[in-house]
Amino acid sequence: MNDSKVLEIRNLTKDYGSKGFSTTVLKGIDLSVCRGDFIAIMGPSGSGKTTLLNILSTIGRPTMGSVWLDGKDITQIRNRELSKLRRDKIGFVFQDYNLLDTMTLQDNIALPLALNGVPGKECIERSEELAGQFGLAEHLKKYPYQLSGGQKQRGAACRALVTKPEIVFADEPTGALDSRSSRDLLECLKGVNDGGRATILMVTHDAYSASYAKDVYILNDGLIQCRISRGKDRKEFYDRIIEMQASLGGDFS
């Protein structure tokens, strides 16, 4: 795998069901994610985008094909090694935050470091640095129930980034947020990506969210139908995404 490639997918296929009664959800996907990329995956309902994300993030297994991450085909390694790779090399941002209610925001952010045996002083420093970048410095001692949805999701993004993973997977990260909170989160993600501190692959149904990415891949009927790349104007990029959605039809939810 090329040194600049963080993730490489080759001929990825996924079937569900038994022999003779199976459905092919992914039909030979090829995709490369390079260091510093910010990619959005979009597609109509049932296009296979959630299945693809699950496989790439090591939650699911393909029927055929390979997924190379950190120089390893993660479809071939044992569970113990896979767990270590997931812990050290991958960050996750989920739609529903997944913060622990019994811990402060700072402890939630620092938790992956603490589990890896990182000294307490470094845990504090790294959590404070990220919290500052995501506008959360004054909320670190609060508990999740004291935070807004947008603040919780930005905290979840900090937690995903605190270990300095090779890649961050974001699954509909703005799905539970209002428009202002969505914009705040996306601006922060774009900021850390533009600063070279994160490689991001995001699945979203929302053209506005996708317009913050550098490239959008449209998945339809188990295949990548097209790629749209952003120029300097995000509004123009958004308009092109909307046009492509309209041309494909279907429910992008």
Side-chain angles (χ1 to χ4, degrees):
M1 193 167 85
N2 188 304
D3 287 344
S4 69
K5 292 180 181 177
V6 173
L7 185 72
E8 188 166 16
I9 307 153
R10 301 173 184 167
N11 192 34
L12 200 68
T13 302
K14 179 64 177 179
D15 298 333
Y16 288 106
S18 57
K19 190 174 181 180
F21 299 93
S22 64
T23 299
T24 302
V25 179
L26 300 177
K27 302 176 180 178
I29 302 290
D30 293 309
L31 178 66
S32 295
V33 181
C34 294
R35 201 169 306 281
D37 279 353
F38 187 167
I39 289 173
I41 304 288
M42 302 186 73
S45 180
S47 62
K49 57 185 184 293
T50 299
T51 299
L52 177 61
L53 182 67
N54 286 343
I55 293 172
L56 300 186
S57 60
T58 74
I59 295 170
R61 294 271 188 172
T63 303
M64 290 194 304
S66 59
V67 180
W68 290 82
L69 176 64
D70 193 39
K72 299 181 178 70
D73 182 357
I74 64 175
T75 67
Q76 301 297 321
I77 62 179
R78 297 178 181 274
N79 285 339
R80 180 175 293 182
E81 187 179 1
L82 189 62
S83 295
K84 185 177 186 303
L85 184 142
R86 187 186 297 127
R87 182 191 69 197
D88 297 340
K89 303 294 182 179
I90 296 174
F92 298 92
V93 182
F94 303 98
Q95 181 175 334
D96 55 356
Y97 326 131
N98 285 0
L99 298 178
L100 298 176
D101 290 334
T102 56
M103 300 174 68
T104 65
L105 178 61
Q106 182 162 29
D107 288 341
N108 268 285
I109 294 171
L111 181 60
L113 296 177
L115 293 175
N116 284 355
V118 175
K121 183 179 178 181
E122 185 176 349
C123 290
I124 292 171
E125 289 174 351
R126 284 165 68 173
S127 61
E128 287 179 345
E129 179 186 1
L130 275 170
Q133 293 169 5
F134 278 72
L136 296 169
E138 64 187 51
H139 302 293
L140 282 171
K141 300 306 178 185
K142 295 180 181 178
Y143 289 85
Y145 70 87
Q146 297 173 303
L147 302 171
S148 69
Q151 290 164 347
K152 285 189 279 191
Q153 191 63 304
R154 279 181 278 139
C158 291
R159 181 185 57 193
L161 290 160
V162 75
T163 59
K164 301 179 180 178
E166 289 291 311
I167 188 166
V168 172
F169 293 109
D171 184 10
E172 299 282 5
T174 63
L177 303 181
D178 60 35
S179 58
R180 179 173 180 176
S181 297
S182 296
R183 184 178 65 251
D184 290 345
L185 173 68
L186 292 163
E187 290 285 356
C188 289
L189 291 175
K190 182 177 181 297
V192 293
N193 175 257
D194 287 345
R197 298 187 298 277
T199 300
I200 302 170
L201 189 147
M202 172 176 68
V203 165
T204 181
H205 70 277
D206 178 39
Y208 178 80
S209 297
S211 71
Y212 278 82
K214 293 175 178 174
D215 295 284
V216 174
Y217 288 83
I218 305 293
L219 194 64
N220 194 27
D221 194 27
L223 295 166
I224 293 177
Q225 298 290 342
C226 67
R227 169 185 170 181
I228 314 169
S229 295
R230 188 180 75 202
K232 293 184 178 180
D233 185 352
R234 191 180 62 78
K235 175 62 168 63
E236 185 268 341
F237 188 34
Y238 169 80
D239 290 339
R240 284 192 286 136
I241 297 168
I242 290 291
E243 288 174 9
M244 184 56 65
Q245 284 183 304
S247 69
L248 287 174
D251 176 17
F252 274 62
S253 62

